[in-house]
């Protein structure tokens, strides 16, 4: 990005410099564009005077030579003209005295700015955003009851966009998948309530016991891009625009929507994105961790233009390998300290593969994803009639026994194993189970492998070795 060293001009961040390196178009096409590059902006050229040489670069460093035949363009003439006129108007008010000072300015005024020193051309990683001049954005607040967070909230909003009244607008809506919808077309006035029956991503139909959520969508106002661009191109030193922050937020949501809606991209916070595919830039950090290179993006406003700041970012992720290998890698670094291993894997999401794959109507595999709650402990299942038997903290599959009912109808179902009350999580066998904890238990067989008239205890290892889960497509 080019920018004359002109500094701030007393109007917030309008004096951040100028850009002429490329464009990231938005607003004049579908919000869902951008899957194969910008919509009409052409390729972005990276200019550098650094020579990469013949030496091998580190995995996190990429040298870009100047594209053959390309000349670095001069700073944007229109931005320079606006800045000069603004500075002239600012200085024409006469000497700076107490009457011209106030507490309403974002930054102190600098009437002597640009009158001394040497001008330089500065290139930074800002790119111009070119919305359609007539773009109007409708903003809506989203509230979900009962309250949901994280991935569940993201999925609920995905389901909302597939619901009647929204599915016809999907190409015109962007969202932060938390609390805000931005649409190019007006959806409704006032507040609209939609009941969503939850289903896991990829499933065709909700499960029989699926929870229902009420999603409240409330109209919170209209944002006109022309008003923002008019403010940015104004040379009036007293010009103000009250919706600057809301419209910047809306544009940030627009820029980040694709990354948040794609299953091939992981996002951290509101502005960092990491592609996790096979061709992604990555490096092994050891101990079961890998680093991915991604990017940070943020919409900013400057003299006469809207800019997008793009920065390289890095993040540490768990190595996508079988869980036993992950524990082995990290355990070796920590001398297999069980408390450190438990802390490392707690809340990690894993995909189970020991059962037959489920597919939806389109043939897409619906993964079975579990969240690890912790290692097994002797206190698991207190209060159950037949709690699991755990020999020690961090017991393996042969050292944890569950109660298996003798009832043929129950084998392979959630009622077949003691401690599987749906929706009540507890620690068990290294992953998030479906049991519960409470007070002392009663009528518990005292010897491993003993049985009662209702059933018997069986280790997790033996349970899966016999193939029992296949009958009901479930697990203890």
């Amino acid at each position: 990005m080019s920018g004359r060293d002109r500094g701030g001009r007393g109007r917030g961040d309008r004096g951040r410099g100028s850009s002429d390196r490329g464009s990231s178009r938005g607003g004049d096409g579908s919000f869902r564009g951008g899957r194969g590059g910008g919509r009409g902006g052409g390729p972005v050229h990276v200019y550098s005077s650094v020579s990469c040489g013949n030496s091998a670069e580190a995995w996190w460093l990429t040298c870009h030579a100047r594209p053959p035949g390309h000349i670095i363009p001069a700073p944007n003439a229109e931005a320079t003209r606006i800045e000069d006129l603004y500075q002239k108007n600012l200085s024409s008010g006469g000497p700076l005295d107490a009457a011209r000072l106030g507490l309403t300015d974002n930054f102190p005024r600098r009437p002597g700015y640009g009158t001394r020193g040497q001008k330089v051309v500065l290139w930074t990683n800002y790119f111009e955003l070119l919305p359609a001049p007539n773009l109007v954005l409708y903003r809506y607040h989203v509230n979900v009851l009962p309250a949901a967070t994280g991935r569940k909230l993201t999925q609920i909003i995905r389901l909302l966009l597939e619901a009647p009244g929204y599915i016809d607008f999907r190409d015109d809506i962007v969202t932060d998948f938390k609390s805000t919808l931005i649409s190019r077309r007006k959806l409704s006035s006032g507040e609209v309530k939609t009941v969503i029956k939850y289903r896991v991503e990829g499933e065709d139909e909700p499960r029989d016991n699926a929870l229902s959520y009420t999603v409240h969508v409330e109209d919170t106002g209209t944002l006109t891009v022309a008003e923002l661009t008019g403010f940015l191109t104004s040379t009036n030193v007293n010009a103000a625009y009250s919706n600057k922050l809301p419209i910047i937020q809306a544009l940030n949501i627009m820029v980040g929507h694709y990354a948040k809606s794609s299953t091939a991209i992981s996002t951290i916070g509101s502005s960092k994105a990491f592609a996790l595919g096979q061709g992604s830039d990555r490096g092994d950090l050891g101990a079961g961790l890998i680093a991915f290179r991604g990017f940070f993006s943020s919409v900013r406003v400057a003299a006469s233009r809207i800019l997008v700041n793009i920065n390289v970012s890095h993040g540490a992720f768990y190595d996508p390998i079988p869980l036993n290998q992950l524990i082995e890698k990290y355990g070796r670094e920590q001398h297999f300290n069980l408390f450190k291993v438990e802390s490392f894997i707690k809340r990690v999401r894993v995909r189970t593969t020991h059962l037959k794959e489920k597919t939806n109507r389109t043939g897409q595999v619906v993964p079975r994803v579990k969240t690890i709650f912790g290692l097994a402990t002797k206190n698991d299942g207190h209060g159950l009639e037949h709690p699991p038997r755990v020999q020690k903290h961090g017991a393996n599959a042969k050292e944890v026994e569950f109660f298996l009912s003798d009832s043929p109808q129950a084998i392979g179902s959630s009622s077949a194993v003691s401690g599987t009350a749906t929706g009540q999580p507890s620690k068990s066998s290294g992953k998030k189970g479906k049991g519960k904890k409470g007070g002392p238990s009663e009528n518990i067989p005292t010897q491993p492998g003993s049985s009662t008239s209702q059933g018997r205890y069986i280790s997790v290892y033996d349970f899966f070795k016999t193939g029992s889960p296949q009958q009901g497509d479930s697990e203890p």
Side-chain angles (χ1 to χ4, degrees), residues 389 444-448 450 457:
R389 292 170 173 163
I444 304 174
T446 57
Q447 298 296 326
S450 60
Y457 273 85

Side-chain angles (χ1 to χ4, degrees), residues 68-196:
H70 284 267
I71 300 175
I72 300 177
N76 185 281
E78 178 62 15
T80 301
R81 185 185 71 83
I82 295 294
E83 288 179 330
D84 289 343
L85 284 174
Y86 182 89
Q87 192 61 41
K88 180 180 178 181
N89 292 339
L90 182 64
S91 303
S92 64
L96 186 63
D97 54 26
R100 297 181 60 196
L101 297 177
L103 299 178
T104 57
D105 288 334
N106 293 321
F107 293 99
R109 295 189 176 187
R110 303 167 63 189
Y113 172 73
T115 59
R116 301 181 62 180
Q118 180 180 359
K119 294 180 180 180
V120 298
V121 176
L122 176 67
W123 285 88
T124 61
N125 47 334
Y126 282 74
F127 305 90
E128 187 172 3
L129 180 68
L130 300 173
N134 59 347
L135 177 63
V136 176
L137 302 175
Y138 301 93
R139 186 174 55 167
Y140 299 87
H141 176 71
V142 180
N143 185 36
V144 177
L145 295 175
T149 59
R151 293 178 180 274
K152 178 163 285 189
L153 177 59
T154 297
Q155 177 63 5
I156 291 170
I157 295 180
R158 282 198 185 105
L159 296 174
L160 173 70
L161 298 182
E162 297 174 1
Y166 295 92
I167 191 168
D168 292 337
F169 293 84
R170 285 193 64 185
D171 287 347
D172 298 292
I173 295 176
V174 293
T175 175
D176 60 358
F177 292 97
K178 291 182 179 179
S179 60
T180 305
L181 293 182
I182 304 294
S183 176
R184 294 190 308 166
R185 291 194 287 164
K186 190 172 182 62
L187 302 178
S188 60
S189 299
E191 181 179 353
V192 176
K193 299 178 182 179
T194 304
V195 177
I196 300 294

